[in-house]
Amino acid sequence: MERVNRILRSESYKRHLQENRVAEEGRIFCHHNMEHFLDVARIAMIFNLEEGLGIPRDMIYGAALLHDIGRHEQYETGIPHETASARIAPDILADCGYDAEEIREIVESIAGHRDTESGQRQDLAGILYRADKASRACFACKAAGQCSWSQERKNLELNR
């Protein structure tokens, strides 16, 4: 997990994480913070084990820690956060020891983490998509009644 810990220590990563925190200070809905990133990573690990995919842990954690790291740019400029995150991630991953093929796979999964077609895949992109959606505890959210997510999209029960 050394490469994952290098992400956590990255000055660029910490700066973007802080920018997300500031951008969401008054937000009553789901946050895009370390708690969410770790929930996504751990749920993705469960999917990886249950589905027997054999995806290395540091690939899953790398994708999960970075999948929403550009969310602040969506608030600031309107750029889709998956696009911003996919743009930010490569430099951080390279600085943390990921090779070009690993970076390509992680960035592809980040860029597609809101694409419903990704959810059907049996790879990093698929488990990242499913884990991101499963991470939201809508059944316990104080703002669920004000959320724009449809009832069908909300996680109103535990499924695993």
Side-chain angles (χ1 to χ4, degrees):
M1 292 284 282
E2 177 54 29
R3 296 189 301 179
V4 173
N5 287 314
R6 288 174 67 183
I7 293 171
L8 297 176
R9 292 189 298 264
S10 163
E11 290 303 318
S12 177
Y13 182 75
K14 290 190 284 189
R15 180 176 50 78
H16 287 288
L17 193 61
Q18 174 61 19
E19 289 181 40
N20 278 359
R21 187 176 305 118
V22 169
E24 294 187 333
E25 279 180 348
R27 184 176 165 88
I28 62 170
F29 303 110
C30 301
H31 286 234
H32 302 85
N33 56 18
M34 188 58 68
E35 181 180 1
H36 172 59
F37 298 163
L38 291 176
D39 285 348
V40 171
R42 291 170 178 150
I43 293 168
M45 281 299 302
I46 292 168
F47 291 156
N48 185 45
L49 294 170
E50 287 180 349
E51 298 169 22
L53 300 177
I55 301 167
R57 182 173 41 177
D58 57 349
M59 292 287 289
I60 291 170
Y61 272 80
L65 290 174
L66 292 163
H67 81 283
D68 284 340
I69 200 64
R71 183 67 185 214
H72 63 92
E73 290 189 16
Q74 183 170 330
Y75 298 127
E76 296 160 2
T77 69
I79 186 174
H81 73 273
E82 64 274 19
T83 302
S85 298
R87 182 185 46 74
I88 293 165
D91 288 342
I92 294 172
L93 291 165
D95 288 346
C96 295
Y98 290 82
D99 67 35
E101 179 55 27
E102 291 170 322
I103 293 169
R104 184 204 58 74
E105 185 176 351
I106 290 171
V107 170
E108 177 187 306
S109 69
I110 290 169
H113 85 270
R114 296 184 66 212
D115 180 0
T116 56
E117 291 181 17
S118 293
Q120 306 304 313
R121 295 170 49 174
Q122 295 294 302
D123 60 6
L124 182 59
I127 63 172
L128 182 65
Y129 174 90
R130 294 190 302 279
D132 187 39
K133 302 311 171 246
S135 71
R136 301 309 190 176
C138 303
F139 56 84
C141 180
K142 292 183 261 185
Q146 300 166 47
C147 181
S148 64
W149 275 22
S150 68
Q151 287 299 108
E152 295 77 32
R153 286 183 65 202
K154 289 180 183 173
N155 296 320
L156 301 175
E157 296 179 343
L158 291 175
N159 296 312
R160 282 192 146 71

